[in-house]
Each structure stands twice: as structure tokens, then as C-alpha cells.
Amino acid sequence: MASGLRAVVGVGAVGGLLVVLLWSEQQASNRMPAQARGRGDTGEEDTGFRVVMERFEAPEINHNHSTNNNNNNNNNKLHRRHGNAIVSPRSSAVHAAAPPPPPPPPPQPSVLAAADADADAGHPESRKASQGPPRSSRTIIYVITPTYRRPEQVAELTRLSQTLMLVPDLHWLVVEDAVSPTRRVLSFLDSCSVPHTYLLGTASRRYKGANKPRGVSNRNAGLKWVKVHAKDGVIYFADDDNTYDYRIFDEIRMTRQVSMFPVGLVTRLGVSTPIVSSGKLVGFYDGWIAGRRFPVDMAGFAVNVQFYLKRNAPLMPYSVGFEEDGFLKALRIKPEEIEPLAENCTKILVWHTRTVKTQPAVKMPDTDKVTKTNLHHLKSQIVFPSGLS
Amino acid sequence: MASGLRAVVGVGAVGGLLVVLLWSEQQASNRMPAQARGRGDTGEEDTGFRVVMERFEAPEINHNHSTNNNNNNNNNKLHRRHGNAIVSPRSSAVHAAAPPPPPPPPPQPSVLAAADADADAGHPESRKASQGPPRSSRTIIYVITPTYRRPEQVAELTRLSQTLMLVPDLHWLVVEDAVSPTRRVLSFLDSCSVPHTYLLGTASRRYKGANKPRGVSNRNAGLKWVKVHAKDGVIYFADDDNTYDYRIFDEIRMTRQVSMFPVGLVTRLGVSTPIVSSGKLVGFYDGWIAGRRFPVDMAGFAVNVQFYLKRNAPLMPYSVGFEEDGFLKALRIKPEEIEPLAENCTKILVWHTRTVKTQPAVKMPDTDKVTKTNLHHLKSQIVFPSGLS
């Protein structure tokens, strides 16, 4: 057996199924497959696959964040556009979190409430609540979406927002890896009918190159926001280029601790999924095991907020390919506690689609032919190499 | 001026704007740019751009289709699943059109009505109507979507369907280039709440290779269906990988003859759009002119059904890169008659996104570990190289 695996323990306890299936004996690698991680063109892929059942032990806990709970707002540069917009379905709040580590805490609700003066005139109700998202009879899903500046950014966000529009009782945390908010994204959010909060999740400059961790600073900014603003609900990480059947969200909403479900188009296997027998998770089917205890895709699990807070609200590690694994380990979840969704993981309702990257556009000339026609207005909606103009 | 252009006529008549802007003098080429046509990796791109104002003369009319109106159903292999499901928002009809040319006509409504015996038990209303789609107080939009078998097919259709779910009074024509319907697509449509019809639009075997026309047989099968089943409404061609802000459809619905609007992420210019001055189309901004009278993207225009029928319902030519141009020329529309949408073409509400192509998956082994768990059920949802299994 490949030394990278910690497998085949506790088989009998989870249904008697032989839970380790070695498709090839190739050594699990620490390098993640390009297709598995959605980063397009780096990394190598295991050519075979392994189905691995882990013995879940109490892991090391990530204490990065849990000690910083009450000394908020010291390091934050706080941008506000619609102060208390968290409450309103048609407005946005802009928060900036400094790059970790150490992670600066997000703004407190009271700060948001104080920023209400210019907020959301069309929704007077929104100013009454100063404690985070709206209360609902149904569980709120906190969808954390990392994003970054690129030509197709607004298109991707538009498409995802239209899926989320079909899901009630959802709060969308759009977290941009940028030094300052991208004007086009704010403009998009201004007309977005999904209840949302805009956050800055600027990546640390210490990580560079093709193999740097991507989306971690964004996701952690979202997690910190949840820690401060939410007491219950469910957390889900939804990249803006993936595809989601809106029906998965009603299942995600039922998550009591940690739920998992299949993700299509991941690695050469075409799917990454827990293996389920008699309603219990008995292993994982994924094209890139690499010694991970939880070889799952970022879009393949959801976490209950109360459970998350009870486990001291860990953040995601800056470890390429091991973000999901590190985060899930820190939650100290046992295999028999994992809740399989999507009809016991028999349906693919989430896909790891990726969009072809386009180059920034050739600049429009500053002639009358551009400035005196509609082209002038379109100019602000196109990404050119040099910035916003 | 590049010889491929037929430009700079009638300038004074459309607002006094100098409507030809030569960014480079490079000869317009008949080879389409990869990015412009969405075909990924073939063709060359003009490095500059030209903004061209055409004098629109009465073009040659495409009579391919108009003479075949009444001798239907001779060449058709007709698959029926829910016979009259065109009327129902939750069912699908499967039609097969033989590959053109010559184009076999689509089935007549009476044939569809005759197939009603097993149709759509949950919607008894559906059997009463034998003439195409439901009547509505609002104009119906006929969205024609070409599709073909590939790993990401159902993901793409899922995502597009969720945009279309936000649009009332719409009928979705999903037209697959396949010899027989793909099981996974039919299964997807069975649970799709968008009113739709499934059609086969099998491409002729005479076209092969990387530079073959793509989507033409599909779109023409959709056009033929519209010709038989619709008397009014609006036609729009919507590829399944593009991104659509749902708000563009309410504008499309207002199309009286032919409307046009900007499409983002097309060619190195970042957008393909009519140039509009004082509410009138005065030229085109597109990275690939190539002597086209209408240098527009497939997703950048819509056609009124009554107008289409009055113009003898032309089909799309099998001419790579000139499908839009040939179709629009055949409609005999004058430039001053083009209706600019999206606030006089100042908003980008449609994007030419493309999805990274994934290879068919490595097969699952036929062992107990697969057959006795959820993996067995997932197997049918993954595209393997050899077919449906």
C-alpha cells in the first residue's frame, strides 16, 4: 500500500465493506491534480485512484482564529457602502480583512449598525437589525464565494447569482482577493437581488507563483464573518465557476454537523464522492488521495454553523491541495457522523466546471468614434490590462 | 481599405458619424478567430479591429426551407416520449430531424397531437392543444440551444436552465447533435421545470474535421420547429456554455424585427457590439470583421417570429464563421431597422463564456466495491469514453 495512505482501519465498524480499493499502486503525491483543484494548468495527477477509509482520530485543532474573538477592528480598513445591508436582500456591505496570518478579526455587528446612515433607503426594515443576517423560520445557508479580478469575473458572478436566486433563506458572502474592491463587482452587487455581503479577503504577499494557495484568504475572511455574525445556519464554499443544481441547497440546509455529497467533473474519475453503504460513509472515491484523511472537493461538503462554533471555528490552512482536509480535520468529525446528501450520494448535483481564461482586452482608442457612442459606456465593463479604465 | 470590407456607404443617413474606424489595415480574413467563435483552438484572429458600417441591400434569399413547407414527415424518424409536451412546462417532446441538406421538414402539429395517448398524464390540459406552445398574454421567447454529448453537457444545461427558470413565457428548444437522444439529457429534461422541447439536430457526415460547422444542424432543426409551431414570438440562439443575465430576455421579448445587443468576452476586444448613436445602429465593433455585413456574435441578436416567417423563414448556412451573417442577410433587414437593446447597447448582459473541456472519465471497475454502493448509481451520470455505460 502506498505509504501516503492511512487506510483500512475500522472497516467492520462501518458496514463490513472492504473500503480500500487500489486502482493502482502509485504513490500518493503531495502535488494536487490540476483538474481536481480547478487551477487549470499546474500540478500532476495520480493516474489511478484509491478509495480509502480513514480512521478518524481527534486531530490537531487550528487555534489560529479562536483566540482573536474579542479584539476586533484594530487592523481593519473598513469600507462601507450600505452599512447594514446584511439584512436586506438588495444591498451590499463592503468589509475589508487584512491578509492573514495572523488573521485580523472582522468588524463587529455594532460597527455595521453604526454605519447605517446611508444604508438601503428602499428597505427601511434593514436598519432595525444590528445583529447580522435576517432571522428566518428556515435555516440560513451562508454561501462563501471566493473571487478575483479577471475578464470573466462579472459573468461568472452573474451566472452563480442566478442560481442562488432560486434558493430562499440564503446569504451570499462574496469575498474578493483584491487590495481594494473592484468597481465592476460592486456595481454588479448593487443590482443583485441575492442577499449578500461583499468582503475583501486579500491574500498575503508571502504566497507567490503558480502553486500558491488560492481562495484561502477569501474563504477565511468569509469564515471570520460567519463567526462574528451567525449563531446558526450552514456554511458552504461555492466557487464562482462551478455549477450547482439549485436543489442541492435544500439538502445542504439540513446539515446538522458536516454533510458530504458527490461533485462531478473532478479528476479523471469524473466524480469525487464519499462511498456510502447502508446510509453510512465507508470511504472516498477520488482521483487524488495523497494521504488526505478527507479526500473531498471544496464544493463537496457543508458545515453547520453551531457545530463549527463548538469546534472553535477553525480556519482553512494555507496548504495547497490540503485546504479541505485541514479544515475538516480541525472540525474533529467522525466518519460515522458525516451526513451523506443527494439521496445518499447517488446524485450528482454539483459540478467542478471551469471557464476558459480569456486575456484582458485590447484597449479601445480614445477617439470620437468611441467616446461619442455607446462604446464609451461599454468600456467600463471590460477588463483591460492596466486596470479599471 | 481592406478589400474584404464593403463599408462606408450611407454614413450621412445614419447620424453623421464616421462609421469606419480602421484599427489596423490588416486584410480581413475568412478564417474566424477562435475566441470569437467559441471553438477554442482553431482559426486565427485579426489582431486589430474594424468598425464597419454596411450599406444593406436586398440580399440573396435562402430558399432552402421555404419550399418544403407542406410535405412533412416523410424523412423523419420521430421519437416520442411525451407527445404534446410542448404545452406543458414540465415535460419534453423528442423529435428527430435528419441531417440537412436538403433539410427534412419537422413534424406537423397534427402528428404531435396524434402521439398524445401516453403524454403527460399529470397535465391533462396539454392534450387539448395541438398547435405548438401555449398561448400567453406575453410574447413567447423561443430559445434555441444547440448541444452535444460531452462530460460537462448536463452541467451546462443545468446551469442554463436555471437562468431560463427566471424568465416567464419562454419555450426552450434543446437541440442535440446526436444520432439518438442521450439518455442523460432526457433524464435531465424530465426534471427540468423550464417549458421545453427536445429535438435531434444531427449533423451531416459530410462535414468533418476541426473546422466543420458546429451547431448549424441543431439551430436549423430549431428554426424548422419554430416555422411549423409558432406564429409569433421571438427567436434567440443561446449556446449552453454562454452566460446570460436573465434581464436581457425581457428586452429580447420586445423585438419587432431584428434586435441586437453587446456580447462580452468575444475576441481580443472583449466585446462584440453594434455601434449606436442617437438610438440608431451606425456600425459594428468586433474583432473579426472578415467582410461580413453583420459582424455579430450568435448570442448578440434576436428575431421576431412574424418577421422571420414573412422573410420566408431562412435557415442558417453551413459556412464556418458566416452563419450569423448569412442568416441575417437572408432576413433582408436594413440597418436603420435594427433595434438596439440593453439600453442602446450600453450594457453587457450576455457573455461568450466557454468551459474547459474535460476528457471522458476513466471507467469504474465492475467490482462489489462499486456495484454494491452508491458508486453504482453515479456511474450512469458520468461520461465514459465508450458510451452511456
Side-chain angles (χ1 to χ4, degrees):
Chain A
M1 174 165 301
S3 62
L5 300 176
R6 307 183 224 166
V8 218
V9 191
V11 175
V14 289
L17 186 77
L18 177 59
V19 292
V20 174
L21 171 61
L22 291 181
W23 181 249
S24 88
E25 290 296 329
Q26 184 175 335
Q27 172 69 35
S29 160
N30 274 355
R31 301 178 65 177
M32 64 176 184
Q35 191 183 8
R37 318 302 323 142
R39 279 142 204 179
D41 45 10
T42 61
E44 289 178 3
E45 189 168 344
D46 292 0
T47 53
F49 69 88
R50 294 176 188 81
V51 181
V52 55
M53 166 62 195
E54 298 282 354
R55 186 174 64 170
F56 292 71
E57 299 163 344
E60 62 284 7
I61 305 166
N62 184 337
H63 287 290
N64 265 3
H65 182 59
S66 55
T67 56
N68 284 332
N69 200 13
N70 294 316
N71 47 352
N72 289 335
N73 299 313
N74 296 324
N75 301 323
N76 279 1
K77 181 184 169 196
L78 184 61
H79 300 256
R80 297 184 196 105
R81 291 167 63 250
H82 302 286
N84 203 27
I86 308 145
V87 185
S88 159
R90 295 192 61 83
S91 56
S92 59
V94 183
H95 309 160
Q108 284 186 330
S110 59
V111 174
L112 289 170
D116 274 354
D118 64 341
D120 204 13
H123 295 265
E125 287 297 314
S126 68
R127 298 185 195 171
K128 296 179 185 170
S130 62
Q131 290 288 333
R135 294 288 160 244
S136 165
S137 59
R138 297 223 290 179
T139 306
I140 301 281
I141 304 174
Y142 296 95
V143 175
I144 298 177
T145 297
T147 189
Y148 65 100
R149 181 179 177 272
R150 60 198 193 279
E152 60 273 15
Q153 181 179 25
V154 170
E156 303 279 54
L157 291 171
T158 298
R159 189 150 59 175
L160 176 53
S161 74
Q162 293 176 173
T163 290
L164 301 183
M165 281 172 67
L166 300 170
V167 185
D169 305 308
L170 177 149
H171 194 81
W172 192 20
L173 299 168
V174 178
V175 195
E176 190 167 23
D177 179 355
V179 175
S180 60
T182 299
R183 203 189 307 167
R184 275 181 292 272
V185 172
L186 299 184
S187 168
F188 156 75
L189 287 172
D190 267 348
S191 71
C192 176
S193 64
V194 177
H196 62 268
T197 297
Y198 175 92
L199 299 165
L200 276 179
T202 317
S204 168
R205 292 182 185 173
R206 75 159 62 176
Y207 303 108
K208 291 182 179 177
N211 210 31
K212 71 178 178 183
R214 289 168 201 263
V216 179
S217 58
N218 315 47
R219 294 189 192 98
N220 283 345
L223 287 171
K224 290 176 207 164
W225 187 95
V226 167
K227 180 173 178 179
V228 170
H229 293 91
K231 288 179 175 162
D232 45 32
V234 177
I235 299 163
Y236 182 57
F237 301 105
D239 288 358
D240 55 4
D241 54 349
N242 284 351
T243 300
Y244 309 90
D245 187 315
Y246 74 101
R247 290 167 288 201
I248 191 65
F249 290 96
D250 267 345
E251 303 218 21
I252 285 173
R253 199 187 304 281
M254 309 308 289
T255 304
R256 297 181 303 274
Q257 293 187 330
V258 175
S259 62
M260 292 187 178
F261 40 90
V263 182
L265 301 172
V266 177
T267 79
R268 279 304 306 282
L269 301 192
V271 68
S272 168
T273 183
I275 303 177
V276 177
S277 182
S278 304
K280 289 286 187 188
L281 187 149
V282 298
F284 293 99
Y285 183 82
D286 188 284
W288 189 71
I289 301 295
R292 292 189 292 169
R293 184 175 295 177
F294 297 96
V296 296
D297 187 84
M298 191 66 78
F301 65 93
V303 180
N304 182 283
V305 170
Q306 288 187 359
F307 177 77
Y308 174 70
L309 297 175
K310 275 185 200 162
R311 292 296 198 257
N312 290 323
L315 297 183
M316 206 157 273
Y318 284 82
S319 177
V320 179
F322 293 85
E323 296 93 337
E324 302 94 335
D325 194 44
F327 180 68
L328 288 165
K329 280 177 178 170
L331 289 173
R332 288 173 288 151
I333 185 78
K334 295 176 185 171
E336 60 268 28
E337 293 168 338
I338 296 282
E339 303 145 49
L341 301 183
E343 297 182 25
N344 270 325
C345 295
T346 61
K347 304 275 184 198
I348 300 176
L349 297 174
V350 180
W351 293 266
H352 202 257
T353 41
R354 289 177 295 145
T355 303
V356 174
K357 291 199 184 307
T358 52
Q359 293 299 308
V362 173
K363 278 230 173 190
M364 284 187 186
D366 287 326
T367 62
D368 283 359
K369 291 87 190 174
V370 169
T371 57
K372 293 187 175 173
T373 67
N374 62 316
L375 295 182
H376 173 67
H377 299 278
L378 294 176
K379 204 171 173 178
S380 65
Q381 298 162 61
I382 301 172
V383 170
F384 298 108
S386 57
L388 292 173
S389 64
Chain B
M1 174 164 300
S3 62
L5 300 177
R6 307 183 226 165
V8 217
V9 191
V11 175
V14 289
L17 186 77
L18 177 60
V19 291
V20 173
L21 171 60
L22 290 182
W23 181 251
S24 88
E25 290 296 329
Q26 185 176 333
Q27 172 68 35
S29 161
N30 274 354
R31 300 182 65 179
M32 64 175 185
Q35 191 183 8
R37 320 301 323 142
R39 280 144 205 176
D41 44 10
T42 62
E44 290 178 0
E45 191 168 342
D46 291 359
T47 53
F49 70 87
R50 293 176 188 83
V51 181
V52 55
M53 166 61 196
E54 298 281 355
R55 186 174 63 172
F56 291 72
E57 298 163 346
E60 62 284 7
I61 305 165
N62 184 337
H63 286 291
N64 264 5
H65 183 58
S66 55
T67 57
N68 283 332
N69 201 12
N70 294 315
N71 48 353
N72 288 336
N73 299 311
N74 296 325
N75 302 324
N76 277 3
K77 182 183 168 195
L78 185 61
H79 299 257
R80 297 183 197 105
R81 290 168 65 250
H82 302 286
N84 203 27
I86 308 145
V87 184
S88 158
R90 294 193 61 82
S91 56
S92 58
V94 183
H95 308 161
Q108 283 187 330
S110 59
V111 174
L112 288 170
D116 275 353
D118 65 340
D120 203 22
H123 294 266
E125 287 297 313
S126 67
R127 298 184 196 173
K128 295 178 185 171
S130 61
Q131 291 287 335
R135 294 287 159 244
S136 165
S137 59
R138 296 223 292 177
T139 306
I140 301 282
I141 304 174
Y142 295 96
V143 175
I144 299 176
T145 297
T147 189
Y148 65 98
R149 180 178 178 272
R150 60 200 193 277
E152 60 273 15
Q153 181 179 26
V154 169
E156 304 278 53
L157 290 172
T158 298
R159 188 151 59 173
L160 176 52
S161 75
Q162 292 176 174
T163 290
L164 300 183
M165 282 171 66
L166 300 170
V167 185
D169 304 309
L170 177 147
H171 193 81
W172 192 20
L173 299 168
V174 178
V175 196
E176 190 167 22
D177 180 355
V179 175
S180 60
T182 299
R183 202 189 309 166
R184 275 182 291 273
V185 173
L186 299 184
S187 168
F188 156 74
L189 287 172
D190 268 348
S191 72
C192 176
S193 64
V194 177
H196 63 269
T197 297
Y198 174 91
L199 300 165
L200 277 179
T202 317
S204 168
R205 291 183 187 173
R206 74 159 63 178
Y207 302 108
K208 291 181 177 176
N211 210 31
K212 70 178 179 184
R214 290 169 200 263
V216 179
S217 58
N218 316 45
R219 294 190 191 98
N220 283 344
L223 287 171
K224 290 176 208 165
W225 187 95
V226 167
K227 180 174 178 179
V228 170
H229 293 90
K231 289 179 175 162
D232 45 32
V234 177
I235 299 162
Y236 182 57
F237 301 105
D239 289 359
D240 55 2
D241 53 352
N242 283 350
T243 299
Y244 310 90
D245 187 315
Y246 75 101
R247 290 167 289 201
I248 191 64
F249 289 96
D250 266 345
E251 303 218 22
I252 285 174
R253 199 188 303 282
M254 308 308 288
T255 304
R256 296 181 304 273
Q257 293 187 329
V258 175
S259 62
M260 291 187 178
F261 38 91
V263 182
L265 301 172
V266 176
T267 80
R268 279 304 306 283
L269 301 191
V271 69
S272 168
T273 182
I275 304 177
V276 177
S277 181
S278 303
K280 290 285 187 190
L281 186 149
V282 298
F284 294 99
Y285 183 81
D286 187 283
W288 188 73
I289 301 294
R292 292 189 293 169
R293 186 175 293 176
F294 297 96
V296 296
D297 188 83
M298 191 66 77
F301 66 92
V303 180
N304 181 283
V305 170
Q306 288 186 359
F307 177 77
Y308 174 69
L309 297 175
K310 275 185 199 162
R311 292 296 198 258
N312 289 323
L315 297 183
M316 205 157 273
Y318 284 83
S319 178
V320 178
F322 293 86
E323 296 93 338
E324 302 94 336
D325 195 44
F327 180 69
L328 288 165
K329 279 177 178 170
L331 289 173
R332 288 174 290 149
I333 185 80
K334 294 175 186 172
E336 60 268 28
E337 294 168 339
I338 296 281
E339 302 146 48
L341 301 183
E343 297 182 23
N344 272 324
C345 295
T346 62
K347 304 278 185 196
I348 299 177
L349 297 174
V350 179
W351 294 266
H352 202 257
T353 42
R354 288 177 296 145
T355 303
V356 173
K357 290 199 185 307
T358 52
Q359 292 299 309
V362 174
K363 279 230 173 192
M364 284 187 186
D366 288 326
T367 62
D368 284 358
K369 292 87 189 172
V370 169
T371 57
K372 293 187 175 174
T373 68
N374 62 317
L375 296 182
H376 173 67
H377 299 278
L378 295 176
K379 204 172 174 180
S380 65
Q381 298 162 63
I382 300 171
V383 170
F384 298 108
S386 57
L388 292 172
S389 63

